Amino acid sequence: MEKEMNKNSVFRVGILGATGYTGRELVRILSHHPQVRIDFLGTSSAQGQKYFNIYPELCGCPIGNMTLTDEHDVPQVDVLFCALPHGIMAERAANLLVRGIKIIDLGADFRLKDPAEYELWYNCVHPDPDLLSQAVYGVSEIYRREIFTSSLVALPGCYPTASLLPLAPLLRHGLIDHDSIVIDAKSGVSGAGRGVTPQLHFSEVDANFKAYGVDGHRHRPEIEQELSKMAGGKPIHISFTPHLVPMVRGMLATIYVRVKDGIEEEDLRRCWQTAYEDESFVHVMPCGVWPMTKHACGHNSAYMQVSLDRRTRRATLVSVLDNLMKGAAGQAVQNMNIMCGLPETQGLASVGIWP
């Protein structure tokens, strides 16, 4: 779907929430993107400072000397990345869209299609519910065609991305039971952002491992909404438990599903391979090789493996990604490339960090 006319175009971009972890990752990626010029870095906390004062390690990048400005004063850009808490972009999006600005919202304001669900999970009334139907859910490998024609993309959360990539093909092809999905997922602490709370202090996190959001995490309805679409509209309810692990970045989801009668492990693997054989950022691991979080560290790929227990007829699916890359900033840039008619891998072709 690459547009010939855009091969040599330069797109002006802005980033709201530029001083957060996700904003910093966007700056790192986009400052070296060959067809992007960063025109605007917005923040609510560090206006007037040079960006390299916040992140000195980026002082040598092309925008290291850029001054942070008020996030409310958005200049005319082609694409705006919004790495803000929920409730903020929902109030501003309509006016920005009228100005012809494409929006990629890394927050939660447009992920849920039902305004009542949004109010239930985020404890506030959505200020512009009409936009919910316009927003495209930004799992690039699933909604590529819709993203291509959209001006408003709701970027998935990191847990939903790690869960939907392995589950979506299997549900679409009817290989697993709808009512049997259990997701046990783990994330590094960077997923909580830069905000300092007692639960994220080093002394609390180091050498510790805990479940949280057990009674209902905000990503659960997001996952259920999208899985229901994959199942042809049949409502799907999952068991979902996230965990915090003592590492900076990385995400691993272990998913348990019951397979339909007659389905074997080879069928599950073949389904994945067919679905993702032409994808640059989703990799089905060789038999017997299980993905680990370091496989994905620092780049925009997801890695998957499957095993079927013939005794119980339950399959174990494991997916791994970097929560700040494929789970956030990397996938956001992948969406931008699609929206702007650029090669999808542009700016994202680097390999990961090891060890």
Side-chain angles (χ1 to χ4, degrees), residues 260-302:
K260 296 287 186 66
D261 290 342
I263 299 301
E264 299 298 334
E265 182 178 311
E266 294 75 15
D267 300 310
L268 304 177
R269 183 179 302 279
R270 191 179 306 112
C271 181
W272 277 358
Q273 290 170 337
T274 300
Y276 296 123
E277 63 182 347
D278 296 323
E279 297 295 344
S280 299
F281 298 119
V282 181
H283 309 288
V284 181
M285 303 291 277
C287 291
V289 180
W290 289 89
M292 61 182 78
T293 54
K294 276 193 176 291
H295 287 150
C297 184
H299 65 112
N300 192 52
S301 288

Side-chain angles (χ1 to χ4, degrees), residues 131-190:
L131 280 181
L132 295 177
S133 61
Q134 297 181 34
V136 173
Y137 194 68
V139 183
S140 307
E141 290 77 13
I142 298 175
Y143 294 114
R144 181 174 286 112
R145 292 189 179 278
E146 293 84 352
I147 293 166
F148 182 62
T149 58
S150 178
S151 294
L152 176 60
V153 166
L155 202 78
C158 46
Y159 283 122
T161 300
S163 303
L164 293 170
L165 287 172
L167 285 169
L170 306 183
L171 278 170
R172 276 179 168 168
H173 290 86
L175 303 185
I176 60 176
D177 287 340
H178 296 169
D179 60 351
S180 68
I181 300 170
V182 177
I183 302 173
D184 181 342
K186 297 93 175 169
S187 175
V189 296
S190 60

Side-chain angles (χ1 to χ4, degrees), residues 21-22 187-194 244 247-250 322-324:
Y21 288 147
T22 302
S187 175
V189 296
S190 60
R194 290 189 77 194
L244 187 68
M247 62 185 185
V248 174
R249 62 199 298 164
D322 185 327
N323 58 291
L324 292 178

Side-chain angles (χ1 to χ4, degrees), residues 109-131:
D109 280 349
F110 302 103
R111 294 171 180 168
L112 297 176
K113 296 302 183 183
D114 184 347
E117 282 284 289
Y118 179 88
E119 182 176 356
L120 174 66
W121 289 95
Y122 292 94
N123 300 314
C124 60
V125 176
H126 198 285
D128 197 344
D130 290 341
L131 280 181

Side-chain angles (χ1 to χ4, degrees), residues 61-75:
C61 78
I63 54 83
N65 202 41
M66 182 175 283
T67 300
L68 289 153
T69 59
D70 189 333
E71 65 183 23
H72 287 84
D73 188 19
V74 179

Side-chain angles (χ1 to χ4, degrees), residues 1-163:
M1 294 184 293
E2 180 183 340
K3 293 179 182 176
E4 191 75 25
M5 59 179 290
N6 287 339
K7 284 188 173 181
N8 299 310
S9 300
V10 174
F11 294 88
R12 301 163 298 162
V13 305
I15 302 170
L16 297 179
T19 56
Y21 288 147
T22 302
R24 186 266 185 201
E25 282 292 87
L26 285 167
V27 170
R28 180 179 71 87
I29 299 167
L30 293 170
S31 63
H32 298 286
H33 192 295
Q35 290 186 245
V36 161
R37 186 183 76 207
I38 299 177
D39 277 4
F40 167 72
L41 297 176
T43 179
S44 62
S45 60
Q47 296 100 322
Q49 293 192 45
K50 300 295 184 183
Y51 197 69
F52 65 74
N53 289 341
I54 308 297
Y55 290 112
E57 73 278 9
L58 296 181
C59 64
C61 78
I63 54 83
N65 202 41
M66 182 175 283
T67 300
L68 289 153
T69 59
D70 189 333
E71 65 183 23
H72 287 84
D73 188 19
V74 179
Q76 190 64 36
V77 292
D78 298 304
V79 181
L80 183 67
F81 294 89
C82 310
L84 300 172
H86 72 272
I88 300 176
M89 186 44 52
E91 296 181 343
R92 305 181 191 174
N95 289 334
L96 294 167
L97 292 167
V98 167
R99 291 169 54 188
I101 297 174
K102 296 179 184 294
I103 297 173
I104 300 173
D105 183 29
L106 289 86
D109 280 349
F110 302 103
R111 294 171 180 168
L112 297 176
K113 296 302 183 183
D114 184 347
E117 282 284 289
Y118 179 88
E119 182 176 356
L120 174 66
W121 289 95
Y122 292 94
N123 300 314
C124 60
V125 176
H126 198 285
D128 197 344
D130 290 341
L131 280 181
L132 295 177
S133 61
Q134 297 181 34
V136 173
Y137 194 68
V139 183
S140 307
E141 290 77 13
I142 298 175
Y143 294 114
R144 181 174 286 112
R145 292 189 179 278
E146 293 84 352
I147 293 166
F148 182 62
T149 58
S150 178
S151 294
L152 176 60
V153 166
L155 202 78
C158 46
Y159 283 122
T161 300
S163 303

